[in-house]
Amino acid sequence: MAASLAVLGGPPAFATPLRTGCPNILDPTATAALVSDAMARRWLTNEGPLVQRLEERFAALHGVRHAVAVANATLGLQLAAAAMGIAGEVVVPSFTFIGTVHAMSWIGLRPVFCDVSADTHTLDAARLEAALTPDTAAIIGVHLWGRPCDIDPIQRVADARGVPVLFDAAHATGSTRGGTPLGRFGRAEVFSLHATKSINGLEGGLVTTTDDDLAERLRRLRNFGFNAGGRVVSRGINAKMNEFSAAMALSNLAGFDRLCAHNRAIHDAYRHGLAGLPGVRLCEHPAADVPSGHYAVIEVDDTAPLGRDALCRVLVAERVNPRRYFRPGCHRSPPYAFEPLRHPLPVTERLTQALMHLPTGLQMNPDDATAMAAVLGRALAEAPRVRAALAAPAP
Ligand code: T4K
């Protein structure tokens, strides 16, 4: 496919739009069959058989005792924090989806932002200690782009202070740390099955833990405080997953290995195509740790002839929808922006200006990734012309 720059007047490079986050539906026929079964059973929610099967399969994939299905990961984070009984401040990266921080704030926890590491984009364990105060109730690590946090150093800091760790694993289905699947670290980990995630369950999430008591509390909290005997024994809320979400997630989970292989091939094409482009690099995650390859993230540094935002506009003109996750940073978004920042966040500030996510998944093939890299290469090579085209008033 010939690369062209629509901002310079050529036809768009892609006839069909490519969207970062476009949902993967691996086997529509299998999904439809599961949905049809659920309708025939007329058991559609409240811990139905498909939800139970999904919990078993997810727990097996992650090698963990408990996987508790919930309506979405945001509620999962809230349930986990509530089940852990924490109150006060939580140390959390600002470089994450706003949902991580909103989840905590919504239940009265006060976020204290800590910077991330430039290499991993996850909590910088070396800066963690300085963020702790006598009011710190928990540390929230986020396995961003599916890449595991520096789990051991974070846990050591937490243990020294006697505070629990909760991991936001929304991006990390199938990820491992040194051969050990995520899901058993900290007190709990919270995965997302949102449609844009590697395993699409329309909406949904799973909270994993090795702690039997915590799992029991989570099951109660997600269902209005009802215990297994059907009696209300505590506060609770409605955070239950429905059967259609479980059907979609189960059929996608069955093809997870195929999806991972497809995404790794796309990554290889991006890596090859972007090699040598000035100031642009593909952020690499060890394939053994992040098999899903779901996130293709590029970093555009100050030496690039065009900045991240200009390259983003070039791609949009080519019918690609890249995403600039996560800008402007939670600390710059209301209501957190109204609080004085306790600690500088230089890495976060830089990453919010520098990263761009490119499409992956079944909507495309490796040739599309090669064509996209060629578009970026041509834009960088013709930077003055591109800048002029972007500055020109719209016709
Ligand atoms: N923690 C972290 C670290 C997270 O990233 C998230 C969610 C959470 C916690 C909370 O998990 P959940 O409570 O959602 O389970 C999207 C998702 O809505 C959000 O789930 C996700 N992170 C976040 C990273 O991405 P937006 O605001 O970017 O969504 P939107 O509508 O702009 O769509 C993103 C892209 O996906 C676009 O290119 C369009 C495409 N798309 C989206 C949908 C829904 C499609 O092509 N088809 C679709 O059906 O937040």
Side-chain angles (χ1 to χ4, degrees), residues 19-23 71-75 77 96-97 99-100 142 144 168 170-171 191-197 203-205 295 321-323 325-326:
R19 302 193 299 267
T20 306
C22 183
N72 56 62
T74 306
L75 280 166
L77 287 165
T96 181
F97 185 56
T100 314
V142 182
L144 217 57
D168 176 339
H171 298 181
F191 296 81
S192 173
L193 300 179
H194 184 265
T196 57
K197 297 295 188 288
E203 293 272 3
Y295 295 93
N321 181 13
R323 305 289 289 174
Y325 291 130
F326 285 109

Side-chain angles (χ1 to χ4, degrees), residues 22-389:
C22 183
N24 293 304
I25 305 171
L26 275 90
D27 190 342
T29 309
T31 307
L34 289 172
V35 167
S36 187
D37 289 350
M39 289 193 290
R41 267 192 301 274
R42 286 185 163 67
W43 194 278
L44 301 178
T45 184
N46 291 13
E47 298 175 43
L50 294 180
V51 166
Q52 289 177 32
R53 199 189 306 170
L54 176 65
E55 289 182 334
E56 283 161 21
R57 300 253 164 103
F58 203 85
L61 176 69
H62 290 271
V64 65
R65 275 172 75 78
H66 303 283
V68 179
V70 287
N72 56 62
T74 306
L75 280 166
L77 287 165
Q78 294 182 329
L79 259 51
M84 286 157 59
I86 55 179
E89 293 178 355
V90 287
V91 177
V92 61
S94 168
F95 195 59
T96 181
F97 185 56
I98 196 75
T100 314
V101 180
H102 280 344
M104 298 297 120
S105 163
W106 193 263
I107 56 172
L109 295 164
R110 296 189 302 281
V112 173
F113 295 115
C114 180
D115 211 359
V116 292
S117 140
D119 294 332
T120 65
H121 303 173
T122 61
L123 261 188
D124 185 345
R127 292 172 194 252
L128 205 46
E129 194 125 28
L132 301 181
T133 74
D135 285 341
T136 304
I139 296 170
I140 317 292
V142 182
H143 303 307
L144 217 57
W145 328 141
R147 182 172 182 140
C149 292
D150 282 342
I151 293 172
D152 294 340
I154 291 172
Q155 193 64 59
R156 272 197 294 277
V157 173
D159 290 346
R161 273 303 181 95
V163 296
V165 181
L166 171 62
F167 287 110
D168 176 339
H171 298 181
T173 294
S175 292
T176 66
R177 198 275 322 254
T180 305
L182 298 187
R184 70 188 63 189
F185 296 105
R187 289 292 303 286
E189 303 197 60
V190 182
F191 296 81
S192 173
L193 300 179
H194 184 265
T196 57
K197 297 295 188 288
S198 56
I199 293 298
N200 152 31
L202 310 176
E203 293 272 3
L206 289 121
V207 187
T208 59
T209 182
T210 55
D211 180 332
D212 295 349
D213 290 340
L214 194 75
E216 159 66 22
R217 278 199 293 281
L218 286 164
R219 292 183 191 287
R220 212 193 309 135
L221 287 171
R222 78 171 169 189
N223 186 22
F224 304 104
F226 284 106
N227 70 7
R231 286 197 21 229
V232 174
V233 293
S234 70
R235 272 199 319 176
I237 197 155
N238 182 0
K240 290 172 271 114
M241 182 186 284
N242 69 69
E243 290 287 274
F244 288 9
S245 280
M248 178 64 93
L250 277 167
S251 58
N252 285 328
L253 211 48
F256 190 50
D257 288 348
R258 175 163 67 90
L259 179 64
C260 293
H262 182 80
N263 279 337
R264 299 309 322 174
I266 288 172
H267 267 254
D268 289 346
Y270 277 135
R271 182 181 309 110
H272 192 257
L274 295 170
L277 296 190
V280 173
R281 73 176 185 91
L282 183 67
C283 300
E284 297 283 4
H285 309 304
D289 281 352
V290 192
S292 77
H294 184 66
Y295 295 93
V297 188
I298 63 170
E299 183 166 351
V300 184
D301 70 28
D302 292 343
T303 67
L306 292 171
R308 186 269 313 263
D309 292 348
L311 289 174
C312 187
R313 287 181 62 193
V314 166
L315 287 179
V316 168
E318 300 288 355
R319 295 218 184 107
V320 176
N321 181 13
R323 305 289 289 174
R324 287 171 285 178
Y325 291 130
F326 285 109
R327 60 165 197 154
C330 298
H331 67 292
R332 289 188 177 274
S333 303
Y336 317 107
F338 306 135
E339 297 284 322
L341 197 57
R342 289 207 205 152
H343 308 281
L345 305 171
V347 178
T348 299
E349 300 285 8
R350 188 173 62 72
L351 293 175
T352 60
Q353 307 288 321
L355 298 191
M356 179 162 70
H357 285 234
L358 301 178
T360 60
L362 299 182
Q363 64 176 327
M364 61 187 283
N365 59 45
D367 286 347
D368 295 317
T370 302
M372 222 177 298
V375 165
L376 292 173
R378 184 167 159 203
L380 290 165
E382 299 178 16
R385 251 177 357 117
V386 172
R387 237 180 267 115

